[in-house]
């Protein structure tokens, strides 16, 4: 999983114990840079002021002040193009609803996980971020000649 070394990952959860656990798991898994926060509003401020850039945000859904659903709405508004991994200790139906919401907002959802999070499952999910980037980069953009564009405009 050498591709994880280049990632900047943000973990947002209101539980300091869980933050430490995920941080340690990501560090041991070889993730290049991990930042942790207990507050979605703080992260939103950093993102809107361009103080921070993250490849992936791992966020709990159930947090005070700003929950993961509200954070997703703001990330969509900001056109966040990084990957998002959602997790919660809530019922699995909540995860499915969050999955649907993230896709409706056209966010790059890597997946949803039930707490307690399995170390290997999380790392595999994050590894999928690079696979998606490579696949998107391989897409050949449409190329039209000036004559073709002029013909299309005139018809």
């Amino acid at each position: 999983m050498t591709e994880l070394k280049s990632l900047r990952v943000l973990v947002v959860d209101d539980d300091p114990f869980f933050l430490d656990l995920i941080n340690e798991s990501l560090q041991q898994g070889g993730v290049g840079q991990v930042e942790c926060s207990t507050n979605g509003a703080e992260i939103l401020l950093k993102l809107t002021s361009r103080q921070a850039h993250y490849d992936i945000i791992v966020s709990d859904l159930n947090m005070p002040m700003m929950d993961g659903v509200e954070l997703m709405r703001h990330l969509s508004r900001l056109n966040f193009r990084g990957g998002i991994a959602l997790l919660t200790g809530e019922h699995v139906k909540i995860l499915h609803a969050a999955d649907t919401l993230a896709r409706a907002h056209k966010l790059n959802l890597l997946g949803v996980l039930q707490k307690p999070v399995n170390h290997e499952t999380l790392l595999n999910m994050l590894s999928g971020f690079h696979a998606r980037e490579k696949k998107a980069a391989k897409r050949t953009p449409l190329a039209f000649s000036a004559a073709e564009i002029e013909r299309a405009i005139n018809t």
Side-chain angles (χ1 to χ4, degrees), residues 53-115:
H53 165 76
Y54 305 103
D55 298 306
I56 298 174
I57 296 176
V58 178
S59 178
D60 187 11
L61 285 173
N62 188 8
M63 297 181 293
M65 295 171 47
M66 179 186 293
D67 65 17
V69 172
E70 186 177 352
L71 179 60
M72 282 193 302
R73 273 195 338 228
H74 288 293
L75 292 174
S76 175
R77 182 180 51 82
L78 293 170
N79 293 317
F80 179 73
R81 294 294 163 232
I84 299 173
L86 300 173
L87 35 109
T88 190
E90 302 296 324
H91 192 275
V92 71
K93 287 183 181 181
I94 301 294
L95 284 173
H96 291 301
D99 181 354
T100 302
L101 179 65
R103 293 183 195 287
H105 281 294
K106 296 183 175 32
L107 293 169
N108 182 9
L109 185 66
L110 301 176
V112 293
L113 297 171
Q114 184 79 28
K115 288 181 181 178

Side-chain angles (χ1 to χ4, degrees), residues 11-148:
V11 182
V12 186
D13 196 301
D14 62 321
D15 184 344
F17 174 77
F18 189 73
L19 277 179
D20 288 343
L21 187 66
I22 291 292
N23 183 28
E24 186 175 321
S25 181
L26 294 175
Q27 296 287 341
Q28 287 178 0
V31 172
Q33 186 175 351
V34 180
E35 186 176 328
C36 297
S37 178
T38 58
N39 186 332
E42 172 188 318
I43 296 312
L44 194 58
L45 180 63
K46 284 184 177 183
L47 289 171
T48 55
S49 65
R50 309 262 189 243
Q51 293 177 6
H53 165 76
Y54 305 103
D55 298 306
I56 298 174
I57 296 176
V58 178
S59 178
D60 187 11
L61 285 173
N62 188 8
M63 297 181 293
M65 295 171 47
M66 179 186 293
D67 65 17
V69 172
E70 186 177 352
L71 179 60
M72 282 193 302
R73 273 195 338 228
H74 288 293
L75 292 174
S76 175
R77 182 180 51 82
L78 293 170
N79 293 317
F80 179 73
R81 294 294 163 232
I84 299 173
L86 300 173
L87 35 109
T88 190
E90 302 296 324
H91 192 275
V92 71
K93 287 183 181 181
I94 301 294
L95 284 173
H96 291 301
D99 181 354
T100 302
L101 179 65
R103 293 183 195 287
H105 281 294
K106 296 183 175 32
L107 293 169
N108 182 9
L109 185 66
L110 301 176
V112 293
L113 297 171
Q114 184 79 28
K115 288 181 181 178
V117 176
N118 176 285
H119 172 78
E120 289 301 317
T121 303
L122 176 61
L123 294 177
N124 286 335
M125 185 181 291
L126 299 186
S127 292
F129 176 72
H130 280 300
R132 288 182 185 190
E133 278 189 328
K134 287 177 186 175
K135 186 177 179 181
K138 285 183 181 179
R139 291 186 195 134
T140 308
L142 296 176
F144 298 100
S145 68
E148 290 173 316

